[in-house]
Amino acid sequence: MNTNLPTEGVLAALCLPVGNDGQLLEPALEAHLSWLRSKGIHGVLALGSTGEFPLMSVDERKEALDTVLKLAGDLPVIANISDINPKNVEALGRHAKAIGLPGVAVMPPSFYPVNAQEQLSFFLRVASAVELPVMLYNFPELTGNRIAPETVAAFAAAAPMFGIKQSGGEFAYHRELVAIGEAKGFSVYSGADTRLPEAFGLGVKAAIGGLVNFVPEYMVAIFEHCRKGKACDVDLYAARMKEVGAIIDRLSFPVNVGMGMLARGFEPGSSRTNVSAAFREEMNRSSEELRRLFEKWNLSVERPVSV
């Protein structure tokens, strides 16, 4: 188990394959994590949006964290403990600490409007309860509540904040968050998988993305070029990331991440949400298109899988 917080690098917003009964497919998850390690990623975010956490009970999420930690080897694991119920957030955070995770991520409460003052109060309550370093997680398209810069700065001044993940459509917000992070001593993690060179150019230190699940090679190479000065054809890799993203976006998030998993030959499992027969047909068609692209680009396909 790695207890170091990955404050820079490329982290997978981990896809969690489950069977039709909702149980984790451990052999599939183990194979996927082993492969991700071999590609040089720097850690995983467990139970993030890609992991379909809102569709899981607290006990299921605790069990999933235990399993991911067991299988992750030397990859650091950050637990997303977000929930609409603050008591559940605290319970998940205490579990993360009990099993030895180095840090947690937390979104604002979702569904109901939460103003800046109440957001700050909530984040401080969580930090006090879990006694672990905290990464704020801004994804207003999903939560309905944007974390304002004043809230970020106030929380960083009062609690052990190691970063913020910026996801969603407000790409320009990276710049303001980077400025606050430089002043307050935390990292900004981008969820803009198809715009990483731009994000790193703004001073972002790390990426956490769903596309890491199936094109980690390009994302790690872009990071190493932009942040470490290692030579690569960054323009080519960035263009290929956009091409992949355009195909993935034909279907809705987060089930579409499974399409990329299929294309690389990994078992995505069943979604916890409803998936129509038409969706599955399109998923198989588009994953086959991706598979042909990957073969053209000399990205190995581990084994053929279909849903």
Side-chain angles (χ1 to χ4, degrees), residues 5 92-98 100-104 126-135 155 159-162:
L5 277 171
L92 288 162
R94 292 189 182 103
H95 184 75
K97 181 177 176 64
L101 299 189
V104 296
V126 172
S128 176
V130 305
E131 299 180 322
L132 281 173
V134 174
M135 175 172 70
F155 181 73
M161 176 178 174
F162 72 88

Coordinates of all heavy atoms in Angstrom, one line a residue, residues 5 92-98 100-104 126-135 155 159-162:
L5 N 0.6 10.9 -1.0 CA -0.4 11.5 -1.8 C 0.2 11.9 -3.2 O 1.2 12.6 -3.2 CB -0.9 12.8 -1.2 CG -2.0 12.7 -0.1 CD1 -2.3 14.0 0.6 CD2 -3.3 12.2 -0.8
L92 N -17.8 7.4 5.4 CA -16.9 6.9 4.4 C -15.5 7.5 4.6 O -14.5 6.8 4.4 CB -17.4 7.4 3.0 CG -18.6 6.6 2.6 CD1 -19.3 7.4 1.4 CD2 -18.3 5.2 2.1
G93 N -15.4 8.7 5.1 CA -14.1 9.3 5.4 C -13.4 8.6 6.5 O -12.2 8.3 6.5
R94 N -14.1 8.2 7.6 CA -13.5 7.5 8.7 C -13.1 6.1 8.2 O -12.0 5.6 8.7 CB -14.5 7.4 9.8 CG -14.8 8.8 10.5 CD -15.6 8.6 11.8 NE -16.0 9.8 12.4 CZ -17.2 10.4 12.3 NH1 -18.2 9.8 11.7 NH2 -17.4 11.6 12.9
H95 N -13.8 5.5 7.3 CA -13.4 4.2 6.8 C -12.1 4.3 6.0 O -11.2 3.5 6.1 CB -14.5 3.6 6.0 CG -14.2 2.2 5.5 ND1 -14.3 1.1 6.3 CD2 -13.8 1.8 4.3 CE1 -13.9 0.0 5.6 NE2 -13.6 0.4 4.4
A96 N -12.1 5.4 5.2 CA -10.8 5.6 4.4 C -9.6 5.7 5.3 O -8.6 5.2 5.0 CB -11.0 6.8 3.5
K97 N -9.8 6.5 6.4 CA -8.7 6.6 7.3 C -8.3 5.3 8.0 O -7.2 4.9 8.2 CB -9.0 7.7 8.4 CG -7.9 7.9 9.4 CD -8.3 9.0 10.4 CE -7.2 9.2 11.4 NZ -5.9 9.7 10.9
A98 N -9.4 4.5 8.4 CA -9.1 3.3 9.1 C -8.4 2.3 8.3 O -7.6 1.5 8.8 CB -10.5 2.7 9.5
G100 N -6.2 3.1 5.9 CA -4.9 3.6 5.6 C -4.8 4.4 4.3 O -3.6 4.6 3.9
L101 N -5.9 4.9 3.8 CA -5.8 5.7 2.6 C -5.2 7.1 2.9 O -5.4 7.6 4.0 CB -7.1 5.9 1.9 CG -7.8 4.6 1.4 CD1 -9.1 4.9 0.6 CD2 -6.9 3.7 0.6
P102 N -4.4 7.7 1.9 CA -3.7 8.9 2.3 C -4.5 10.2 2.2 O -4.1 11.2 2.7 CB -2.6 8.9 1.2 CG -3.2 8.2 0.0 CD -4.0 7.1 0.6
G103 N -5.7 10.1 1.5 CA -6.5 11.3 1.4 C -7.9 11.0 0.8 O -8.1 9.9 0.3
V104 N -8.8 12.0 0.9 CA -10.1 11.8 0.4 C -10.5 13.0 -0.5 O -9.9 14.1 -0.5 CB -11.1 11.7 1.5 CG1 -10.9 10.5 2.3 CG2 -11.1 13.0 2.4
V126 N -16.4 18.1 7.3 CA -15.9 16.8 6.8 C -14.4 16.7 7.2 O -14.0 15.6 7.6 CB -16.1 16.7 5.3 CG1 -15.3 15.5 4.7 CG2 -17.6 16.6 4.9
A127 N -13.6 17.7 6.9 CA -12.2 17.7 7.2 C -12.0 17.4 8.7 O -11.1 16.6 9.1 CB -11.5 19.0 6.9
S128 N -12.7 17.9 9.6 CA -12.6 17.7 11.0 C -12.9 16.3 11.4 O -12.3 15.6 12.2 CB -13.5 18.7 11.8 OG -13.4 18.4 13.2
A129 N -14.0 15.7 10.7 CA -14.4 14.4 11.1 C -13.5 13.3 10.5 O -13.3 12.3 11.2 CB -15.8 14.2 10.5
V130 N -13.0 13.5 9.3 CA -12.2 12.4 8.7 C -10.7 12.4 9.1 O -10.0 11.4 9.0 CB -12.4 12.4 7.2 CG1 -13.9 12.3 6.8 CG2 -11.7 13.5 6.5
E131 N -10.2 13.6 9.4 CA -8.8 13.7 9.9 C -7.8 13.2 8.8 O -6.9 12.4 9.1 CB -8.6 13.0 11.2 CG -9.4 13.6 12.3 CD -9.2 12.9 13.7 OE1 -9.0 11.6 13.6 OE2 -9.1 13.6 14.7
L132 N -8.1 13.5 7.5 CA -7.3 13.2 6.4 C -7.1 14.4 5.5 O -8.0 15.3 5.5 CB -7.8 12.0 5.6 CG -7.7 10.6 6.1 CD1 -8.5 9.7 5.2 CD2 -6.2 10.2 6.2
P133 N -6.0 14.5 4.8 CA -6.0 15.6 3.7 C -7.1 15.4 2.8 O -7.6 14.3 2.4 CB -4.6 15.3 3.1 CG -3.8 14.5 4.1 CD -4.8 13.7 4.8
V134 N -7.6 16.6 2.3 CA -8.8 16.6 1.5 C -8.6 17.3 0.1 O -7.8 18.3 0.0 CB -9.9 17.5 2.2 CG1 -11.2 17.6 1.3 CG2 -10.3 16.8 3.5
M135 N -9.1 16.7 -0.9 CA -9.2 17.3 -2.2 C -10.6 17.7 -2.5 O -11.5 16.8 -2.4 CB -8.7 16.3 -3.3 CG -8.9 16.8 -4.7 SD -8.1 15.7 -5.9 CE -9.2 14.3 -5.9
F155 N -11.2 27.5 2.6 CA -11.0 26.1 3.0 C -9.5 25.8 3.1 O -9.0 25.2 4.1 CB -11.7 25.1 2.1 CG -11.6 23.7 2.5 CD1 -12.2 23.2 3.6 CD2 -10.7 22.8 1.9 CE1 -12.1 21.9 4.1 CE2 -10.6 21.5 2.2 CZ -11.3 21.0 3.4
A159 N -7.9 24.2 6.6 CA -8.0 22.7 6.7 C -6.8 22.2 5.8 O -6.2 22.9 5.0 CB -9.3 22.2 6.1
P160 N -6.5 20.9 6.0 CA -5.4 20.2 5.3 C -5.9 19.9 3.8 O -6.3 18.7 3.5 CB -5.1 19.0 6.1 CG -6.4 18.6 6.8 CD -7.1 20.0 7.0
M161 N -5.9 20.9 3.0 CA -6.3 20.7 1.6 C -5.1 20.4 0.7 O -4.1 21.2 0.7 CB -7.0 22.0 1.1 CG -7.4 21.9 -0.4 SD -8.3 23.4 -0.8 CE -8.5 23.2 -2.6
F162 N -5.1 19.3 0.0 CA -4.0 19.0 -0.9 C -4.3 19.2 -2.3 O -3.4 19.2 -3.2 CB -3.5 17.5 -0.7 CG -4.4 16.4 -1.2 CD1 -4.3 16.0 -2.5 CD2 -5.4 15.9 -0.4 CE1 -5.2 15.0 -3.0 CE2 -6.2 14.9 -0.9 CZ -6.1 14.4 -2.2

